[in-house]
Amino acid sequence: MVRAPCCEKMGLKKGPWTPEEDQILVSFIQKNGHGNWRALPKQAGLLRCGKSCRLRWTNYLRPDIKRGNFSKEEEETIIKLHEMLGNRWSAIAARLPGRTDNEIKNVWHTHLKKKLKNYNYKTPQEPKGHCSGDSTVAKSDSKTPKTEPVSPQDSCSDFSSVTNDNNHVLMIKNEEMESSDYFPQIDESFWSEENENSASEIHPRMVSDEEQVHQFQFPSIDDGMNFWYDLFIRAGDLPELPEF
DNA sequence: AACGTTAGCAACCGCACAGTG
DNA sequence: TCACTGTGCGGTTGCTAACGT
């Protein structure tokens, strides 16, 4: 497969968009839509590659984009969805109207990851227990649902582990994972900087070092959640998020 | 005031998939 | 089946404003 020449080689512009370019792109799309991103910049008279136009539109110019700070509720949702889905930013974004995958990714890396680190939170990216070869985070893996449906027969797929309010790891059959009872609870104290020591009381995955050792022997929650998510992906829909 | 460092964000890069001929 | 194109996605980079010394 021959890769298309990059923008620079084509004499196309890179870097920050000017208000004029934004204006051109917006008015063109409003008039003509964006059927073909590659052809769009030429038709619109922009010295940009189609990819750049698409990114600018989807991440910034789209009329339904919600700008501004993330609410506490949105941050909670991101945390919970990340717990379930890992770095599937687009899937997470799909559950947050008006937010883009890029924005969510940025928020995760700049705010939430840091915040959760203070709680000793183990992200799905980190190595997990005994389920070898089931890493759900490698780049290629993030795409696996599309080509390699997870088999319910796979070891570790039938059950998921969650940690309950008392930090006891529970093994739960995947179909039961749909119950909101198994979703982590995040209370007010998580959002205040002062209470950083009571992590284990706040988030089921935020456990002490000692408990982490214990937890490490069990398959991670996202092993099961990935299967769960894959099922819905294949079914063409995602479940409604539980109330929290 | 000047400089260095850090944080936040927009944009780019490259891979992989889906669709088409 | 293969070659190719268009698009989507996640990871990464680089710019800049804010902050600290």
Side-chain angles (χ1 to χ4, degrees):
Chain A
M1 176 177 160
V2 181
R3 179 165 293 285
C6 73
C7 305
E8 233 165 5
K9 283 178 187 163
M10 296 286 285
L12 299 177
K13 199 178 162 192
K14 280 171 64 177
W17 280 64
T18 64
E20 290 75 26
E21 288 176 309
D22 284 346
Q23 183 56 47
I24 292 169
L25 181 60
V26 168
S27 52
F28 181 86
I29 291 176
Q30 278 171 350
K31 251 187 244 169
N32 309 288
H34 52 74
N36 184 335
W37 284 112
R38 180 162 283 205
L40 186 147
K42 206 171 189 178
Q43 294 165 354
L46 284 163
L47 284 173
R48 294 276 182 173
C49 67
K51 206 170 180 176
S52 181
C53 292
R54 179 175 58 83
L55 228 54
R56 184 64 179 170
W57 173 256
T58 54
N59 289 336
Y60 205 83
L61 299 174
R62 243 170 46 198
D64 56 330
I65 294 276
K66 196 200 285 182
R67 311 296 308 173
N69 294 339
F70 278 61
S71 68
K72 207 162 77 175
E73 288 72 26
E74 285 175 312
E75 291 190 355
E76 280 184 17
T77 305
I78 292 169
I79 290 166
K80 289 176 179 179
L81 288 171
H82 188 268
E83 175 83 5
M84 290 161 52
L85 309 175
N87 294 358
R88 290 173 180 151
W89 304 117
S90 58
I92 294 172
R95 312 297 297 172
L96 286 163
R99 299 298 189 181
T100 68
D101 55 350
N102 205 36
E103 202 177 9
I104 290 167
K105 187 167 54 183
N106 283 335
V107 167
W108 176 262
H109 286 304
T110 56
H111 292 105
L112 302 179
K113 202 171 164 185
K114 208 183 301 168
K115 211 163 191 171
L116 290 168
K117 200 178 174 183
N118 292 332
Y119 290 90
N120 226 356
Y121 171 82
K122 289 179 76 181
T123 70
Q125 281 76 13
E126 293 171 27
K128 295 191 286 281
H130 65 265
C131 288
S132 60
D134 65 349
S135 163
T136 58
V137 282
K139 191 179 171 89
S140 56
D141 253 14
S142 67
K143 316 241 181 192
T144 30
K146 290 170 186 170
T147 50
E148 299 170 27
V150 176
S151 160
Q153 282 76 38
D154 287 351
S155 61
C156 303
S157 290
D158 292 338
F159 290 88
S160 301
S161 68
V162 298
T163 315
N164 68 7
D165 293 342
N166 299 320
N167 295 319
H168 294 136
V169 177
L170 304 172
M171 301 304 289
I172 300 170
K173 285 197 83 157
N174 280 313
E175 56 261 37
E176 292 171 349
M177 293 294 286
E178 290 183 49
S179 162
S180 60
D181 293 345
Y182 294 110
F183 283 89
Q185 300 297 312
I186 299 177
D187 69 19
E188 285 296 320
S189 58
F190 171 72
W191 304 103
S192 67
E193 299 294 330
E194 307 86 60
N195 263 329
E196 295 187 350
N197 292 327
S198 55
S200 61
E201 295 168 13
I202 296 161
H203 194 287
R205 296 287 301 284
M206 302 165 194
V207 295
S208 68
D209 287 342
E210 187 186 334
E211 285 157 347
Q212 274 189 44
V213 171
H214 174 67
Q215 188 183 33
F216 192 70
Q217 298 166 15
F218 293 85
S220 167
I221 185 169
D222 52 309
D223 293 325
M225 281 302 196
N226 278 322
F227 165 63
W228 181 66
Y229 176 73
D230 289 335
L231 277 181
F232 283 101
I233 283 292
R234 278 182 285 161
D237 195 14
L238 280 169
E240 288 302 313
L241 277 177
E243 298 289 333
F244 51 81

